[in-house]
C-alpha cells in the first residue's frame, strides 16, 4: 500500500536525517563505525534482523486555571534502544544514556535472545518517506512565551464571555517535538522530526447548585502559529461552554438496544474500538482477535469502507515514517463491507508473509514497536446527514464521545457518549446524560443502515493505549445510522 | 544510580536553583532498572532489559512557579533544567497559594517500610517461571485454545526527594510481578481472561502454577457468555473491579476536584456519603505495602487516618496547594493515597452470593464511564448471572449504570475476599438495585 519514494522530496528527508545524526549520534560520539559495531553485536548468530532506535523528545506545557497561568513546565528526554528479532522472539534493551559503550551493551543484551547462524557486514543507506507531512523545526517557533500566556487568557475570556454561569475555566497548551532515528540491520537509516501541538479547554458551569462540565480541544502535527490561525480560540471555548449548557438539561439515557445515529468526526472512535484494534497484525497472527482469519469475509454492510491513513499532512495520527523506518501510507481495512487487510509492523508482516504497512509504532525508545493505528476513518457514503436523522422514528443521536475500550478476543467494545439526544419522529429531542454504548465489533458494522456524505475527522486530540503504551491517533467518520446497539443508561 | 548519587543530584539542583534566584525549590530524581520476560505458546516471545532515570525540579520566584524535567542527569543537563524552570516561572502568574508545603509539616521520622527486595533474576530462571505459569494454564482444560502469554517482571527503583526547607531523603524499593492471559473456545465463541500476582518481595508472589491455573479457570468460566435483557438488579462487584469504585471516591474527594467544584461530593465533610456500614482507612506505613510511603510528594509526613467512619466522610486527599485553596491543612496526599482499606462487613464471597439471591456478579469492566462532576456512572461489564445464590451462566455485552452518589449509599455489604494486589484493599462490594442494559 505504500507510495514509492519521490526523489523531489528526498532533500527534505535529508534535513531530518542530518538533524537526527547531529543531535542523536554525533553529540554522543556515535558515528558509522560505532553503529556498525552495535549492529554486529546485535546480529548474533540466529538473529534474523534487528534495529537500533534513537530519539530525543522535548516538550512544554502551560496550564491556566482561576484566570491565571499557574504552571509552565518543560520536559526533555533522550535515549536509545536495541532490538533483535529471531523468528517470533524479540530481544530488547534500552537506556537513556547515549554513548558508544552503552549502545554496544544494549545491542549485546538484545542480541542474546537468539543462538546459531551468522551475518555479514551491513552497508547503511539513507532512506526516508516520500514526502513531508509536517513543517520542519520547532512547532513553537514564532510564538513567544508571552503570546502562549495570552492565548490561554483568550480561551478563558471567550469562555467566560459566552455564558455568565461559567464558574471555572481550565485551559491548557502543549507543544512537543520528537526527533527519531532508526538504523536497521538491512541497512536502512531513516529519521523523522515530529511536531505535536494541542490546545484544550474545560469549563465548569453552575446553575442552582448543579455543576456541569464541557470539554473541547484541537491539535495536530503543525506549528502552533498555524493551529491558532486556522481555528479561533473563541470557537473552541464556546464549544466547551455549549456542551456544558446542554448537559444542564440532560435527562437519563435509555437502557437497552436502540437505533443510534452517530454524528460526524469524533464518534469515529467507534471504528477505532469496534474494528481498528481487532485488525492489528499481532492479534491476527496469534489468532487472538475476533477478526483472525476472516480476510475476504463480509464484516460490514456494503456502504462501509474503512481505512487507516498515516500519511495525511498535519494530522495528529500521521507519521512520515513509522518507528521502524517504514514510510506510512493508506491501508484499506474494510472495502465495501469486506475485510480487506490488517495493519502491520515488520515483525508481524514478516511472519504473516505480507508487506509492512507503516503501522509499527512505539511510545518511546523505552518500548518495543507493535502494530498501531494512525488516522482511522470511514469513507463518506451517499446519504444526506439530515435525511439519516429524519429516517429514525425512535432512537438516540450521539454527537460527542469520551474514550472507549475493546476486548479484542470476544470482540465486545464500549465507547462513552458525552453529548447525546433522543430522536423522536425523525427530530432531535431532549439531551441525554452520559452513557456508555456497548456492542460487538465483528457484527456492529453489519447493522450500519446508512452512511452519510459528511466525512469529518476529529479535531486532533486523540490518544490510544495498548499494552501500556500511549500514542497519538486520529479518528473520523461521516454520520452513520446503526440499527441496534446497547445504550447503557438508567431509564 | 544509587540513592546517594540521586541525592547529590537533587542537592545540586536545589543549591543551584537558590543561587540563580529561586526563593523556593524542590526536586526529585529516580533511577529504575528491570527485566521483563514474556513467553507465548511455550516459547520465549520477548526479553526486555530496562534502565532509565529522570530528574524533575519545581522552582518558585516568589509566588510564581515553573517546572522542568530531564532524563540526562549530568551536572550540566541538571543545571540547564533548573535554568529552564526558572525562565518558565517568569511567565507564570503570581499565585497566592503557590509554594512548598510548610516547613513544620516535613516528615522527621522515617520508619523502615521494608520495600526493597531485589531479585537477582537471570533470564533463564525467568523463562522457566513464565513457561511453567503458561503451561499450567494451557494444560488446565481442553477448551483453553490459545494464549496471549505469561510474563515475569522484576524492577528496582532508587529515588530521592529534597526541597529548600532542607528536607532531603532517598531510598530504594522493588516490585515484582507474574501474569498470565489465556483464551478459551467453545461453540465458536472465544473469551479470554487473566490473573496476576504482584509483590515487593519475590517470595511473596503467588506460586506461578496457581496464577496460570487461575487464569485458565477464569477464562473457562466466561465461556458460553450471553447478553441478558435490560433489567434492574443487585450487582456484586468482584474485588478486582470493586477497587475502581474506591478509586472514583478518591477522585471526587481529591483537592483539585474540590477547589474547582468539579466533584459530586462537594461540601460533604462530616456528612453521610456511604451506607452507615462503610469504613475506609488509610494506612501509609504497612511494611511491604504497594502504596506505602513515609512522606508524600512534598516531603510531608504521612499518617494513619480514618477517611470514612460509619458512612460519614471524615477527610479529603489534599496536598499543600489544594489545602491552601480550600483554607485547610494538607493531609499528606500530594501524589495520591497511601494504602486504602475498605473494611469488610464480614461475609465471604459465597455468603454474598446467597445474600444477593438473584443478580449480577461483575468480574470485568470496560471503558471510563464515571463522571466525577455529576457522579453519573455507566460502564461496560462482563460477569455471571446469579440465581438462588448460585452462578447460572456467564454474561457479556452489557452495561451497569447508576449515580455514584446513590451507589455509595446503597452499599449493602463488603466481602472478606480482600484483593491485596494494589494500593486499594477491598473485598467484593454488593450494591442494591443498579440499572443493567442489555438486549
Amino acid at each position: 500500500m505504500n507510495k514509492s519514494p519521490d526523489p523531489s522530496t528526498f532533500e527534505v528527508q535529508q534535513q531530518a536525517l542530518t538533524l537526527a545524526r547531529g543531535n542523536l549520534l554525533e553529540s554522543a560520539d556515535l558515528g558509522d563505525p560505532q553503529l556498525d559495531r552495535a549492529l554486529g553485536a546485535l546480529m548474533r548468530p540466529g538473529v534474523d534482523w534487528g534495529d537500533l532506535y534513537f530519539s530525543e523528545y522535548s516538550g512544554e506545557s502551560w496550564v491556566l486555571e482561576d484566570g491565571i497561568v499557574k504552571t509552565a513546565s518543560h520536559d526533555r528526554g533522550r535515549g536509545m534502544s536495541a532490538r533483535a528479532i529471531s523468528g517470533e522472539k524479540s530481544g530488547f534493551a534500552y537506556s537513556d544514556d547515549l554513548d558508544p559503550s552503552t549502545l554496544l551493551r544494549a545491542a549485546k543484551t538484545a542480541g542474546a535472545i537468539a543462538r546459531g547462524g551468522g551475518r555479514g557486514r551491513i552497508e547503511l543507506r539513507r532512506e526516508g518517506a516520500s514526502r513531508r507531512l509536517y513543517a520542519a523545526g520547532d512547532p513553537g517557533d514564532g510564538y513567544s512565551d508571552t503570546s502562549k500566556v495570552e492565548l490561554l487568557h483568550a480561551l478563558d475570556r471567550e469562555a467566560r464571555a459566552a455564558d455568565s454561569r461559567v464558574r471555572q475555566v481550565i485551559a491548557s497548551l502543549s507543544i512537543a517535538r520528537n526527533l527519531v532515528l532508526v538504523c536497521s540491520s538491512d541497512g536502512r537509516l531513516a529519521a523523522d522530526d515530529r511536531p505535536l501541538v494541542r490546545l484544550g479547554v474545560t469549563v465548569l458551569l453552575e446553575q442552582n447548585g448543579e455543576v456541569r462540565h464541557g470539554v473541547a480541544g484541537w491539535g495536530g502535527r503543525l506549528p502552533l502559529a498555524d493551529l491558532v490561525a486556522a481555528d479561533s480560540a473563541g470557537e473552541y471555548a464556546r464549544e466547551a461552554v455549549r456542551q456544558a449548557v446542554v448537559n444542564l438539561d440532560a435527562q437519563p439515557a435509555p437502557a437497552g438496544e436502540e437505533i443510534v445515529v452517530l454524528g460526524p468526526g469524533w464518534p469515529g472512535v467507534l471504528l477505532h474500538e469496534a474494528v481498528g484494534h481487532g485488525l492489528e497484525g499481532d492479534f491476527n497472527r496469534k489468532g487472538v482477535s475476533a477478526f483472525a482469519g476472516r480476510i475476504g469475509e463480509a464484516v460490514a454492510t456494503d456502504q462501509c469502507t474503512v481505512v487507516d491513513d498515516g500519511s495525511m499532512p498535519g494530522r495528529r495520527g500521521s507519521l512520515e515514517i513509522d518507528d521502524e523506518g517504514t514510510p506510512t501510507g493508506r491501508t484499506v481495512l474494510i472495502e465495501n463491507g469486506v475485510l480487506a487487510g490488517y495493519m502491520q509492523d515488520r515483525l508481524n508482516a514478516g511472519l504473516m508473509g505480507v508487506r509492512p504497512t507503516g503501522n509499527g509504532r512505539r511510545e518511546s525508545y523505552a518500548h518495543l514497536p507493535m502494530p498501531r493505528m494512525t488516522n482511522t476513518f470511514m469513507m463518506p457514503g451517499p446519504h444526506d446527514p439530515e435525511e439519516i436523522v429524519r429516517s429514525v422514528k425512535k432512537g438516540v443521536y450521539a454527537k460527542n464521545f469520551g474514550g472507549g475500550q475493546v476486548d479484542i478476543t470476544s470482540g465486545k467494545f464500549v465507547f462513552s457518549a458525552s453529548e447525546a439526544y433522543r430522536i423522536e419522529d425523525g427530530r432531535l429531542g431532549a439531551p441525554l446524560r452520559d452513557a456508555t454504548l456497548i456492542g460487538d465489533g465483528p457484527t456492529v458494522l453489519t447493522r450500519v443502515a446508512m452512511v452519510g456524505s459528511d466525512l469529518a475527522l476529529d479535531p486532533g486530540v486523540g490518544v490510544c493505549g495498548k499494552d501500556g503504551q500511549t500514542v497519538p491517533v486520529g479518528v473520523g467518520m461521516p454520520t452513520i445510522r446503526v440499527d441496534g446497539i446497547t445504550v447503557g443508561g438508567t431509564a | 544510580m544509587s540513592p546517594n548519587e540521586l541525592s547529590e543530584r537533587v542537592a545540586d539542583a536545589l543549591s543551584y536553583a537558590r543561587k540563580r534566584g529561586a526563593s523556593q525549590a524542590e526536586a526529585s530524581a529516580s533511577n529504575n532498572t528491570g527485566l521483563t520476560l514474556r513467553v507465548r505458546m511455550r516459547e520465549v516471545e520477548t526479553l526486555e532489559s530496562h534502565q532509565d532515570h529522570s530528574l524533575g525540579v519545581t522552582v518558585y520566584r516568589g509566588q510564581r512557579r515553573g517546572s522542568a524535567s530531564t532524563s540526562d542527569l549530568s551536572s550540566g543537563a541538571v543545571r540547564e533544567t533548573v535554568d529552564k524552570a526558572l525562565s518558565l516561572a517568569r511567565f507564570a502568574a503570581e499565585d497566592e497559594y503557590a509554594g512548598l508545603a510548610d516547613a513544620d509539616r516535613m516528615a522527621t521520622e522515617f520508619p523502615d517500610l521494608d520495600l526493597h527486595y531485589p531479585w537477582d533474576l537471570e533470564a533463564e530462571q525467568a523463562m522457566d517461571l513464565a513457561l511453567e505459569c503458561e503451561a499450567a494454564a494451557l494444560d488446565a482444560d481442553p477448551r483453553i485454545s490459545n494464549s496471549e502469554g505469561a510474563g515475569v517482571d522484576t524492577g528496582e527503583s532508587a529515588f530521592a526527594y529534597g526541597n529548600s526547607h532542607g528536607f532531603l531523603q532517598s531510598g530504594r524499593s522493588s516490585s515484582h510481578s507474574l501474569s498470565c492471559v489465556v483464551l478459551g473456545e467453545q461453540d465458536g465463541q472465544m473469551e479470554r481472561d487473566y490473573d496476576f500476582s504482584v509483590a515487593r518481595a519475590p517470595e511473596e508472589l503467588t506460586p506461578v502454577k496457581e496464577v496460570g491455573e487461575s487464569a485458565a479457570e477464569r477464562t473457562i468460566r466466561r465461556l458460553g457468555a450471553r447478553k441478558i435483557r435490560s433489567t434492574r438488579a443487585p450487582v456484586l462487584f468482584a474485588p478486582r473491579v470493586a477497587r475502581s469504585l474506591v478509586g472514583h471516591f478518591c477522585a471526587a474527594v481529591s483537592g483539585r476536584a474540590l477547589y474547582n467544584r468539579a466533584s459530586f461530593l462537594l461540601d460533604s465533610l462530616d456528612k453521610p456519603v456511604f451506607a452507615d456500614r462503610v469504613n475506609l482507612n488509610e494506612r501509609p506505613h504497612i511494611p511491604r505495602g504497594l502504596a506505602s510511603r513515609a512522606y508524600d510528594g512534598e516531603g510531608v509526613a504521612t499518617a494513619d487516618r480514618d477517611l470514612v467512619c460509619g458512612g460519614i466522610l471524615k477527610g479529603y486527599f489534599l496536598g499543600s496547594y489544594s489545602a491552601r485553596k480550600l483554607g485547610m491543612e494538607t493531609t499528606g496526599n500530594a501524589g495520591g493515597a497511601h494504602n486504602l482499606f475498605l473494611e469488610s462487613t464480614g461475609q465471604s464471597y459465597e455468603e454474598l452470593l446467597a445474600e444477593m439471591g438473584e443478580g449480577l456478579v461483575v468480574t470485568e469492566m470496560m471503558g471510563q464511564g464515571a463522571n466525577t462532576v455529576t457522579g453519573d456512572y455507566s460502564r461496560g461489564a462482563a460477569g455471571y448471572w446469579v440465581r438462588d445464590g448460585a452462578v447460572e451462566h456467564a454474561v457479556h455485552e452489557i452495561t451497569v449504570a447508576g449515580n455514584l452518589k446513590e451507589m455509595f449509599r446503597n452499599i449493602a455489604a463488603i466481602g472478606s475476599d480482600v484483593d491485596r494486589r494494589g494500593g486499594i484493599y477491598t473485598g467484593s462490594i454488593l450494591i442494591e438495585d443498579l440499572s443493567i442494559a442489555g438486549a
Side-chain angles (χ1 to χ4, degrees):
Chain A
M1 293 299 162
N2 298 314
K3 295 172 187 164
S4 58
D6 169 2
S8 65
T9 52
F10 184 69
E11 201 178 303
V12 201
Q13 169 56 212
Q14 286 293 85
Q15 280 175 10
L17 192 56
T18 304
L19 183 70
R21 288 188 79 115
N23 287 21
L24 292 163
L25 302 181
E26 283 152 27
S27 71
D29 296 323
L30 295 166
D32 282 356
Q34 284 76 28
L35 291 182
D36 191 61
R37 272 190 74 196
L39 284 173
L42 187 68
M43 296 302 292
R44 291 256 296 258
V47 172
D48 304 326
W49 58 276
D51 53 19
L52 306 172
Y53 182 86
F54 303 83
S55 74
E56 179 179 68
Y57 168 88
S58 68
E60 61 184 58
S61 68
W62 300 75
V63 180
L64 173 144
E65 193 182 76
D66 294 324
I68 56 172
V69 171
K70 285 186 180 174
T71 55
S73 60
H74 186 268
D75 300 294
R76 196 174 65 167
R78 60 180 204 166
M80 58 87 200
S81 54
R83 171 173 68 141
I85 305 292
S86 170
E88 296 183 27
K89 298 191 191 73
S90 301
F92 182 66
Y94 74 85
S95 172
D96 39 23
D97 292 320
L98 273 185
D99 58 70
S101 65
T102 308
L103 175 64
L104 195 59
R105 197 165 57 241
K108 280 182 181 160
T109 306
I113 191 79
R115 306 174 188 89
R119 82 171 264 271
R121 198 188 138 74
I122 295 158
E123 205 62 50
L124 292 177
R125 63 176 194 283
R126 294 171 175 87
E127 240 184 55
S130 52
R131 72 277 118 157
R132 209 55 237 205
L133 300 179
Y134 20 84
D138 184 336
D141 269 359
Y143 228 91
S144 69
D145 287 343
T146 310
S147 336
K148 293 169 196 165
V149 169
E150 175 44 37
L151 177 57
L152 295 181
H153 279 291
L155 282 167
D156 182 66
R157 261 195 321 271
E158 296 278 2
R160 289 178 194 272
D163 195 303
S164 61
R165 293 167 294 180
V166 170
R167 290 282 169 274
Q168 178 63 293
V169 178
I170 300 166
S172 63
L173 164 66
S174 74
I175 304 170
R177 182 180 187 184
N178 198 10
L179 182 64
V180 310
L181 184 140
V182 189
C183 171
S184 54
S185 60
D186 59 4
R188 175 186 284 172
L189 187 67
D192 198 0
D193 182 7
R194 303 169 179 164
L196 191 63
V197 297
R198 185 188 195 281
L199 273 153
V201 57
T202 299
V203 304
L204 288 145
L205 188 141
E206 193 166 346
Q207 177 179 286
N208 306 328
E210 293 282 308
V211 182
R212 296 291 182 271
H213 77 305
V215 182
W218 73 114
R221 295 198 187 276
L222 70 174
L224 178 61
D226 292 358
L227 180 74
V228 177
D231 299 294
S232 108
E235 184 188 327
Y236 285 92
R238 285 188 291 276
E239 169 59 16
V241 172
R242 188 193 63 75
Q243 285 181 33
V245 171
V246 167
N247 283 328
L248 272 176
D249 299 321
Q251 311 292 316
E257 276 196 10
E258 298 278 340
I259 293 176
V260 176
V261 176
L262 298 166
W266 186 242
V269 68
L270 163 91
L271 302 170
H272 180 98
E273 304 296 353
V275 298
H277 280 296
L279 299 178
E280 289 166 342
D282 47 352
F283 297 135
N284 289 284
R285 170 177 66 80
K286 298 174 187 177
V288 299
S289 164
F291 288 98
R294 298 188 59 184
I295 298 261
E297 288 182 24
V299 294
T301 54
D302 60 10
Q303 293 179 53
C304 298
T305 291
V306 179
V307 304
D308 182 83
D309 190 344
S311 64
M312 306 170 84
R315 299 301 309 182
R316 184 173 166 86
S318 296
L319 305 169
E320 288 176 1
I321 53 166
D322 71 3
D323 293 312
E324 300 178 307
T326 307
T328 53
R330 173 175 283 213
T331 304
V332 179
L333 304 175
I334 295 170
E335 188 160 24
N336 303 323
V338 176
L339 184 59
Y342 301 127
M343 289 164 280
Q344 298 287 4
D345 63 359
R346 289 189 68 186
L347 170 66
N348 290 287
L351 293 168
M352 292 178 81
V354 296
R355 287 169 56 91
T357 55
N359 290 88
R361 302 184 65 184
R362 46 172 135 202
E363 181 181 314
S364 79
Y365 59 86
H367 300 88
L368 273 167
M370 53 186 162
R372 301 296 296 263
M373 284 173 261
T374 59
N375 303 297
T376 313
F377 53 93
M378 183 183 283
M379 301 303 284
H383 297 281
D384 171 39
E386 284 177 25
E387 169 204 347
I388 297 178
V389 174
R390 273 202 308 272
S391 75
V392 179
K393 191 129 186 68
K394 179 179 165 292
V396 168
Y397 178 78
K399 185 175 158 81
N400 260 303
F401 282 86
Q405 194 181 335
V406 63
D407 173 337
I408 48 119
T409 298
S410 68
K412 307 303 177 234
F413 70 95
V414 295
F415 57 136
S416 300
S418 57
E419 183 185 353
Y421 301 83
R422 275 196 189 278
I423 305 178
E424 276 151 8
D425 292 325
R427 265 189 243 138
L428 294 196
L432 299 171
R433 302 188 74 139
D434 294 1
T436 287
L437 275 59
I438 188 162
D440 177 59
T443 57
V444 69
L445 295 186
T446 65
R447 298 179 178 193
V448 173
M450 297 169 96
V451 176
S453 54
D454 56 341
L455 168 63
L457 296 166
D458 78 281
V461 294
V463 293
C464 167
K466 174 177 172 183
D467 213 2
Q469 293 192 40
T470 301
V471 296
V473 294
V475 295
M477 202 162 66
T479 297
I480 65 169
R481 171 178 155 168
V482 185
D483 285 358
I485 185 164
T486 296
V487 178
T490 56
Chain B
M1 282 186 133
S2 70
N4 281 341
E5 288 171 290
L6 294 172
S7 286
E8 282 167 23
R9 300 295 202 283
V10 165
D12 181 50
L14 294 174
S15 68
Y16 183 72
R18 293 301 292 262
K19 203 163 76 195
R20 300 285 291 189
S23 49
Q24 289 191 317
E26 62 185 334
S28 60
S30 67
N31 184 69
N32 307 296
T33 55
L35 181 78
T36 301
L37 182 134
R38 281 164 70 168
V39 302
R40 180 178 169 268
M41 297 309 277
R42 306 180 200 273
E43 299 262 10
V44 172
E45 185 172 51
T46 60
L47 173 61
E48 301 183 37
S49 161
H50 308 285
Q51 185 202 334
D52 55 58
H53 41 57
S54 66
L55 179 140
V57 61
T58 295
V59 299
Y60 296 90
R61 289 178 177 274
Q63 298 304 114
R64 299 175 194 271
R65 181 180 192 273
S67 302
S69 76
T70 175
S71 69
D72 181 349
L73 301 201
S74 67
S75 175
V78 168
R79 289 177 178 214
E80 263 178 52
T81 304
V82 172
D83 284 331
K84 188 74 207 176
L86 280 163
S87 91
L88 286 175
R90 290 180 193 281
F91 295 94
E94 291 268 350
D95 182 351
E96 59 176 307
Y97 306 102
L100 299 178
D102 295 345
D104 61 1
R105 298 296 306 274
M106 293 298 111
T108 51
E109 284 171 41
F110 303 95
D112 179 9
L113 300 177
D114 206 22
L115 304 180
H116 187 234
Y117 286 85
W119 192 4
D120 190 15
L121 183 69
E122 294 290 330
E124 294 279 326
Q125 189 193 350
M127 185 176 78
D128 290 344
L129 287 170
L131 286 172
E132 189 187 343
C133 184
E134 194 200 32
L138 291 173
D139 299 340
D141 191 292
R143 289 168 291 177
I144 297 294
S145 56
N146 200 342
S147 169
E148 284 210 54
V152 178
D153 239 294
T154 170
E156 262 194 85
S157 297
F159 50 87
Y161 169 81
N163 62 38
S164 54
H165 292 322
F167 184 94
L168 182 60
Q169 281 291 314
S170 63
R172 286 182 194 276
S173 69
S174 57
S175 173
H176 314 292
S177 66
L178 296 170
S179 62
C180 183
V181 190
V182 286
L183 280 71
E185 199 168 345
Q186 181 177 292
D187 306 326
Q189 183 192 65
M190 282 201 301
E191 295 283 353
R192 69 169 177 190
D193 211 323
Y194 64 95
D195 211 346
F196 70 100
S197 175
V198 56
R200 295 285 190 189
E203 64 271 17
E204 288 194 352
L205 289 171
T206 308
V208 288
K209 199 159 172 282
E210 280 177 39
V211 172
E213 285 169 352
S214 165
E217 191 191 324
R218 287 172 184 279
T219 300
I220 295 299
R221 267 193 266 156
R222 288 179 68 161
L223 290 172
R226 55 185 199 257
K227 206 166 168 170
I228 53 173
R229 292 228 155 262
S230 302
T231 183
R232 295 191 70 91
V235 174
L236 183 64
F237 292 83
R240 66 158 79 172
V241 292
R243 63 159 58 96
S244 66
L245 295 173
V246 180
H248 299 321
F249 162 75
C250 294
V253 292
S254 75
R256 192 162 182 227
L258 292 168
Y259 77 68
N260 278 327
R261 300 188 61 75
S263 164
F264 65 93
L265 292 179
L266 283 182
D267 311 318
S268 297
L269 211 53
D270 296 317
K271 292 181 188 157
V273 299
F274 282 97
D276 58 13
R277 53 180 68 84
V278 175
N279 295 296
L280 181 71
N281 316 306
E282 186 180 29
R283 299 282 178 266
H285 301 158
I286 303 286
R288 302 191 187 188
L290 290 171
S292 291
R293 296 288 302 268
Y295 52 91
D296 76 355
E298 298 180 306
V300 173
T302 55
D304 286 1
R305 320 196 270 152
D306 297 337
L307 283 148
V308 176
C309 287
I312 311 277
L313 180 64
K314 305 306 286 183
Y316 293 149
F317 293 103
L318 308 178
S320 65
Y321 182 82
S322 54
R324 286 181 199 124
K325 291 279 291 181
L326 293 165
M328 300 175 76
E329 287 279 310
T330 173
T331 60
N333 291 101
H338 321 290
N339 301 320
L340 296 179
F341 291 77
L342 189 65
E343 277 180 24
S344 169
T345 51
Q347 301 93 323
S348 68
Y349 174 71
E350 290 73 21
E351 285 167 341
L352 288 176
L353 289 189
E355 190 171 322
M356 181 165 71
E358 180 164 9
L360 178 72
V361 177
V362 175
T363 57
E364 178 145 330
M365 306 213 75
M366 290 170 77
Q368 293 72 42
N371 184 328
T372 306
V373 178
T374 60
D376 284 343
Y377 183 87
S378 167
R379 295 188 69 191
Y384 321 117
W385 188 254
V386 171
R387 198 186 297 275
D388 300 327
V391 170
E392 194 173 68
H393 62 84
V395 177
H396 66 190
E397 206 181 333
I398 56 163
T399 60
V400 291
N403 185 280
L404 287 165
K405 226 169 160 166
E406 290 162 30
M407 288 163 69
F408 289 166
R409 296 228 182 95
N410 289 340
I411 291 180
I414 299 156
S416 56
D417 50 341
V418 178
D419 188 340
R420 306 187 167 276
R421 300 171 298 183
I424 295 173
Y425 298 70
T426 176
S428 299
I429 298 178
L430 177 61
I431 296 184
E432 293 162 355
D433 191 38
L434 280 180
S435 178
I436 299 166

